[in-house]
Amino acid sequence: MKNLICLAVSAIIALSGCSASSDKLPAVTDENGAVLPPVRVLEDVSCHGDLARSYTFETAFSEAEVVARIKVGNWLYEDNDIMSTFFEAETLQCFKGDIPEKFILKQEGSSEWIEDSFPLFTYGNELLVFMSKGDSKGYESRYPKKYDTFYWLIGAYITFFDVSYDNNGNRYYADRYGFMGKTMNISSKDDFYSEVYEYAVKADPFLGSIRNKEYYYSYIFSEDDVISLMKSF
């Protein structure tokens, strides 16, 4: 049943090579009262998910119900049976579809399974996401009422961009892994790599110590170029 639920909800990851404690860990609250996930990676545990398919930027934009720039809010809940975590989230800018200003974001991964190169999000992360709407129909007993409707990334770790800035406050979309970035017919702003990466690490220091960080920010695009590309579709 676990695999059926995972496939029904996300339809993108085949899980392998990971084991961890089944005890649910408590959330963490920072000094400002933000609720953070209990873990973001699993220490001394290797987890790997094989993508069932890949996406180009165009196919991700075409197949997603919603494309939006968002800000991740408080950690809410994890479900280790489907290896998923739920967050509050805020819509900052919507480029496709219709989404509430406040919504629930579902991410693959929990305290029992986290893809090595795809740590759990945390409060304050700013992202460009390609999402579809999900619900818990058929699994009502599994979800608290407030999580009956949520939005999930259609391609897990390959269908989102980190949002970052240069020293002048210009906004950029950074592709951590390069899957979609290599399919975009626009120029990567590699000259701004240091500024954009340093800003991202300052905003979320965890990114500076992540495993497999050599993949990070393979492609960096200016906001204007990305918006123009989306409009061309």
Side-chain angles (χ1 to χ4, degrees):
M1 183 173 182
K2 179 190 296 184
N3 288 337
L4 291 175
I5 298 172
C6 286
L7 289 169
V9 175
S10 63
I12 46 112
I13 287 184
L15 306 177
S16 63
C18 176
S19 62
S21 170
S22 61
D23 294 334
K24 288 191 174 182
L25 301 176
V28 178
T29 302
D30 71 9
E31 64 274 12
N32 298 313
V35 183
L36 313 178
V39 296
R40 297 185 66 187
V41 296
L42 295 177
E43 299 296 337
D44 302 319
V45 177
S46 179
C47 303
H48 178 66
D50 295 320
L51 291 169
R53 60 163 295 183
S54 189
Y55 286 88
T56 66
F57 187 87
E58 185 173 2
T59 58
F61 188 86
S62 174
E63 295 181 25
E65 294 178 22
V66 172
V67 179
R69 180 168 62 91
I70 70 167
K71 183 177 181 180
V72 178
N74 288 322
W75 178 92
L76 292 171
Y77 173 77
E78 69 172 17
D79 188 328
N80 283 319
D81 288 336
I82 61 170
M83 290 166 284
S84 297
T85 296
F86 297 82
F87 297 90
E88 294 177 345
E90 175 186 4
T91 303
L92 302 177
Q93 191 174 9
C94 188
F95 300 107
K96 178 188 177 183
D98 186 23
I99 189 171
E101 180 180 356
K102 305 286 187 180
F103 66 97
I104 304 301
L105 172 67
K106 172 188 169 291
Q107 181 186 12
E108 278 77 15
S110 70
S111 58
E112 285 196 355
W113 183 91
I114 301 172
E115 162 70 39
D116 284 351
S117 56
F118 187 30
L120 293 182
F121 299 136
T122 195
Y123 185 94
N125 286 162
E126 189 175 345
L127 310 167
L128 175 69
V129 290
F130 298 73
M131 305 185 297
S132 286
K133 189 176 183 179
D135 64 61
S136 59
K137 186 175 181 179
Y139 307 101
E140 287 82 0
S141 63
R142 303 181 49 76
Y143 292 90
K145 181 66 175 177
K146 64 191 296 186
Y147 310 137
D148 279 353
T149 301
F150 51 85
Y151 291 81
W152 54 279
L153 298 171
I154 62 170
Y157 58 87
I158 69 170
T159 51
F160 81 96
F161 290 78
D162 287 313
V163 180
S164 191
Y165 298 81
D166 65 20
N167 293 336
N168 293 317
N170 298 305
R171 187 178 294 128
Y172 295 84
Y173 297 109
D175 186 351
R176 291 190 189 182
Y177 312 105
F179 285 91
M180 291 200 300
K182 67 184 178 182
T183 71
M184 298 165 68
N185 190 28
I186 54 178
S187 298
S188 177
K189 306 299 184 183
D190 297 330
D191 292 347
F192 292 91
Y193 174 87
S194 294
E195 293 179 33
V196 170
Y197 181 73
E198 287 172 7
Y199 182 97
V201 171
K202 183 177 180 180
D204 183 1
F206 181 82
L207 296 181
S209 60
I210 188 173
R211 282 181 257 178
N212 297 328
K213 68 178 180 181
E214 65 268 19
Y215 297 113
Y216 265 41
Y217 296 5
S218 303
Y219 298 89
I220 297 172
F221 304 105
S222 71
E223 179 179 52
D224 288 344
D225 285 348
V226 173
I227 291 175
S228 294
L229 182 60
M230 289 191 288
K231 287 181 177 179
S232 74
F233 301 147

